[in-house]
Amino acid sequence: GNAWIATKAGVYQKTSLSREWKLMIDGSDKGPAFDVKMDSKGKIWVASWNGVYSNSSGKLEKIEGLTSAIAKVVCAKEGIYALGPYGIWLYKNNTWEKKNYKTARSIRAAQSDGNGGLWIGTDVGLYHCNDKKITVFQKNKNLISAYVSSIAYNDQDELWVASMGGIII
């Protein structure tokens, strides 16, 4: 019943019993937040200017071990992905593992494929990454526009990709 929002002023929470939005990270760590997700266990994950935060102890705490800034977080069966201009990491067993995924640095969207891989939308195309290979979609035969802004699966397990020119399925 709580709402979370990532903004240029920070990450905020509004409980179901309140009309007020509460700033969740303050002090020297306060700053822009870019994404907020909830995993299957109800834990909140925040991508911010200086790393990833999670609410493992009832308040947001920074999870050390990766290079910031982080643009997107993705909750997947295999763990939590953190994506930013300096790399992509997978958090599992309380450790960050840097993935060897070469993508554009302008990450705008990310989505788990449900099979150990990621779909990543950037300003210059759509990437599908897993530990075996990276596939890049940039041409008009694959996308309406290479500027991908959003990615999601529908109820029929079809991948929807929104770009500057429209949507492809």
Side-chain angles (χ1 to χ4, degrees):
N2 297 335
W4 290 80
I5 188 168
T7 74
K8 68 180 180 179
V11 63
Y12 292 83
Q13 178 195 46
K14 183 184 153 319
T15 66
S16 60
L17 303 174
S18 175
R19 297 181 63 114
E20 303 295 320
W21 286 93
K22 179 182 176 188
L23 181 64
M24 299 304 293
I25 301 171
D26 55 14
S28 62
D29 289 329
K30 179 184 173 188
F34 307 109
D35 197 16
V36 60
K37 296 283 186 339
M38 184 170 57
D39 69 17
S40 61
K41 297 175 185 168
K43 186 185 260 191
I44 297 296
W45 296 87
V46 176
S48 78
W49 71 278
N50 69 343
V52 172
Y53 291 78
S54 181
N55 69 337
S56 56
S57 66
K59 67 175 191 163
L60 288 177
E61 295 179 350
K62 189 173 179 185
I63 310 295
E64 299 292 343
L66 50 74
T67 306
S68 54
I70 300 299
K72 293 289 175 189
V73 287
V74 174
C75 301
K77 289 186 287 189
E78 59 272 17
I80 305 299
Y81 288 96
L83 300 86
Y86 303 109
I88 298 169
W89 291 264
L90 174 62
Y91 188 74
K92 64 180 182 180
N93 302 322
N94 296 320
T95 304
W96 290 109
E97 170 195 354
K98 187 162 186 183
K99 305 304 276 182
N100 192 26
Y101 299 162
K102 303 293 184 212
T103 67
R105 293 168 48 133
S106 57
I107 296 169
R108 304 293 178 230
Q111 174 75 42
S112 169
D113 69 3
N115 294 307
L118 285 175
W119 289 100
I120 302 169
T122 72
D123 287 355
V124 294
L126 177 68
Y127 294 76
H128 183 260
C129 303
N130 60 39
D131 289 339
K132 293 182 179 148
K133 73 177 192 172
I134 298 169
T135 306
V136 183
F137 302 93
Q138 294 175 311
K139 307 276 188 225
N140 282 12
K141 68 179 181 172
N142 304 117
L143 298 171
I144 295 170
S145 163
Y147 189 95
V148 176
S149 59
S150 187
I151 306 167
Y153 281 99
N154 68 7
D155 293 341
Q156 289 78 42
D157 223 19
E158 297 171 314
L159 185 69
W160 287 54
V161 180
S163 67
M164 287 295 264
I167 296 172
I168 63 161
I169 301 170

